[in-house]
Amino acid sequence: MNIGISILLAFLLDIILGDPRRPTHPVVLIGRFISFLENCLRTVFKTSKGLKAAGIILWVIVVFTVYFATFFIIKTASNFNWFLGQIINIWLLYTAFALKNLSEEAFKIFEELKKNNIEGARKRLSFIVGRDTVNLDSREICRAVVETVAENTMDGIISPLFYAFIGGAPLALAYKAINTLDSMVGYKNERYKDLGWFSAKMDDIANFIPARIGGLLMLLASFLMRLNTRGGLKTLISDAKKHESPNSGIPEAITAGVLGIRLGGYNSYGGVMSFREYMGENFREIVLEDIKTTVKLSILTSILGLIIGEVIRCAIL
């Protein structure tokens, strides 16, 4: 089956079914594999220098194992039965996308806030962000949701799409492994600053091109939604570089600009307060409806990524 058709079917499956995290879900299995290898490597490498080397070993083993395991699973199934191979291929591609889950989680928080259930909104928010949520007010919850949806539009949808079009399910799942490594060990805290440095760096590299393509798609989506595209472009140019990530600042800056709001500010992580540079002009306060608008922007950006990817692939082939 053509890769483009497989990606289209997988994308539609994600929209219809979402991405339930069962014990057999590839990302869950990848996470367990990472934890197992981390424990093994920590018993061997003790020093700072040793842990930095272990971080490279961890990344190489996980990413290459996921790529080749996915490749051989599909190939073996296809050799046994062509139809079975296609079903497995589509299913594996489907698990790489997270559009429906991202949208649903954001809307659940939206509904809790709409009912003035601040505790429920805080609890829901804690499922999708790393920052502390117990003391956030409704405005800060809205900011957290907008920032998270904007950022995850890239690494949860656009980047997997990009790698799927290039290398099918094996490369898309390898990207998910890279992203999962970053989310599990790519921290700058005392525990992971040595072991996780390589995973964090490789995640930045893996997302570099997709984030910039995704930024263009997001600007196009904002134009189609009749948002302030000019403001989005202006904020992209002036503020995206303020973000600590070379990639996450792109969607967040665009979102701030097209909505006419300011993102960034103080966040608490494990009780430790940190400041993220502001992006966008504070033309108005963030309101509840900004969550809904950001989700719509994310969905349209993703659909444009799928359509344009399909067109380019057909044109090349």
Side-chain angles (χ1 to χ4, degrees):
M1 185 182 294
N2 182 279
I3 289 179
I5 296 175
S6 298
I7 293 171
L8 175 61
L9 293 174
F11 193 88
L12 291 174
L13 273 179
D14 178 62
I15 291 175
I16 296 168
L17 301 178
D19 194 22
R21 293 296 175 90
R22 299 188 177 93
T24 55
H25 190 287
V27 175
V28 175
L29 296 177
I30 291 169
R32 290 179 178 175
F33 186 42
I34 292 169
S35 295
F36 170 75
L37 286 177
E38 178 188 345
N39 292 332
C40 292
L41 289 168
R42 284 188 183 277
T43 62
V44 178
F45 299 92
K46 305 289 187 180
T47 66
S48 174
K49 187 175 181 180
L51 286 172
K52 286 183 177 179
I56 298 174
I57 295 170
L58 174 66
W59 189 92
V60 170
I61 291 175
V62 171
V63 174
F64 280 83
T65 298
V66 170
Y67 179 88
F68 287 110
T70 305
F71 177 83
F72 284 115
I73 287 171
I74 295 171
K75 185 174 178 61
T76 302
S78 297
N79 289 338
F80 177 75
N81 181 281
W82 180 86
F83 185 72
L84 176 63
Q86 298 309 308
I87 293 296
I88 292 175
N89 178 50
I90 292 168
W91 179 76
L92 288 170
L93 279 168
Y94 146 66
T95 64
F97 305 134
L99 178 58
K100 184 172 183 180
N101 275 22
L102 179 63
S103 303
E104 283 187 341
E105 289 301 323
F107 274 125
K108 286 175 183 177
I109 297 167
F110 175 88
E111 291 299 329
E112 295 292 352
L113 289 175
K114 196 173 181 180
K115 295 184 292 186
N116 292 317
N117 183 6
I118 191 75
E119 288 300 326
R122 289 169 177 166
K123 184 176 180 180
R124 285 281 179 190
L125 179 63
S126 69
F127 298 156
I128 62 172
V129 300
R131 71 191 72 179
D132 300 331
T133 64
V134 291
N135 296 316
L136 298 184
D137 59 22
S138 59
R139 191 189 72 82
E140 284 297 300
I141 292 173
C142 287
R143 175 171 75 86
V145 176
V146 169
E147 290 174 348
T148 299
V149 171
E151 179 180 350
N152 282 282
T153 299
M154 301 304 157
D155 57 21
I157 307 151
I158 299 300
S159 289
L161 267 175
F162 176 79
Y163 287 106
F165 277 116
I166 293 175
L171 199 57
L173 267 293
Y175 166 76
K176 294 299 289 186
I178 293 171
N179 192 242
T180 305
L181 277 161
D182 180 59
S183 66
M184 290 182 67
V185 305
Y187 298 102
K188 295 180 180 178
N189 57 29
E190 191 63 30
R191 177 174 175 79
Y192 288 113
K193 65 179 182 179
D194 295 321
L195 184 71
W197 74 275
F198 191 74
S199 291
K201 179 62 67 176
M202 294 306 292
D203 185 73
D204 287 343
I205 293 172
N207 282 298
F208 189 86
I209 294 175
R212 281 143 186 83
I213 294 173
L216 294 175
L217 293 171
M218 186 171 278
L219 287 171
L220 176 58
S222 72
F223 175 78
L224 296 175
M225 290 175 63
R226 298 183 178 180
L227 299 174
N228 186 5
T229 305
R230 181 176 295 180
L233 180 60
K234 179 182 176 182
T235 307
L236 169 65
I237 294 170
S238 63
D239 293 353
K241 58 182 177 292
K242 295 178 181 178
H243 200 286
E244 59 185 10
S245 164
N247 304 313
S248 299
I250 294 172
E252 289 190 31
I254 292 172
T255 301
V258 300
L259 294 180
I261 58 176
R262 188 174 70 179
L263 299 177
Y266 288 95
N267 300 316
S268 174
Y269 297 92
V272 179
M273 194 66 69
S274 66
F275 178 74
R276 179 178 290 174
E277 290 287 341
Y278 291 119
M279 288 182 287
E281 299 291 336
N282 195 21
F283 292 122
R284 61 175 179 82
E285 290 293 317
I286 299 175
V287 296
L288 187 56
E289 285 298 314
D290 289 323
I291 293 178
K292 186 180 291 186
T293 305
T294 304
V295 171
K296 290 178 180 178
L297 182 64
S298 172
I299 292 171
L300 184 53
T301 299
S302 303
I303 292 173
L304 287 172
L306 174 68
I307 293 172
I308 294 174
E310 294 284 1
V311 170
I312 292 174
R313 184 166 181 83
C314 289
I316 293 174
L317 298 179

